[in-house]
Amino acid sequence: VQLQASGGGLVQPGGSLRLSCAASGSIVKINDMNWYRQAPGKQRELVARIESDGSTNYADSWKGRFTVSRDNAKKMGFLQMNGLKPEDTAVYYCKAFLVIRGRTGTYDVWGQGTQVTVSS
């Protein structure tokens, strides 16, 4: 079971990126899927959360610019980032709470992170 984050890159201020998070393995269900970021020298912080029913929550810093979504059939989550600013530069991680086939309970799994750099 693993999560694979992708879609990061170098973008100019004001630009957009769409991050993807793909889950693979013996997954019965994906509960919450969260996006975090870790800027250089800073602690990892929560950016957005999407629950299995599609309900979303955003940290105040990213409300209105970022949109989180998911495709349950494809076991994927997405973070659409618009109006990017230099201070959005960070490594972005996805984290999901998974129900795994053959196991009881829910397991939290992290993706490997994808670098987003906003610079002119």
Side-chain angles (χ1 to χ4, degrees), residues 4 15 20 24 33 43 62 68 73 80 82 84 95 107 118:
Q4 182 78 28
S20 299
S24 61
M33 182 173 279
Q43 290 188 331
W62 296 283
V68 62
Q80 177 68 42
N82 298 328
L84 284 163
K95 175 183 175 181
Y107 295 82
V118 185

Side-chain angles (χ1 to χ4, degrees), residues 35-52:
W35 289 93
Y36 289 78
R37 53 166 264 159
Q38 188 164 17
K42 302 280 184 68
Q43 290 188 331
R44 195 170 297 187
E45 56 186 335
L46 180 65
V47 175
R49 170 184 292 121
I50 183 165
E51 299 180 12
S52 57

Side-chain angles (χ1 to χ4, degrees), residues 11-14 37 39-40 65 83-90 92 116-120:
V11 63
Q12 292 187 340
R37 53 166 264 159
R65 293 195 297 125
L84 284 163
K85 306 175 182 180
E87 51 264 41
D88 293 320
T89 295
Y92 286 74
V116 171
T117 302
V118 185
S119 175
S120 55

Side-chain angles (χ1 to χ4, degrees), residues 6-24:
S6 61
L10 174 64
V11 63
Q12 292 187 340
S16 298
L17 282 175
R18 189 191 195 209
L19 305 184
S20 299
C21 180
S24 61

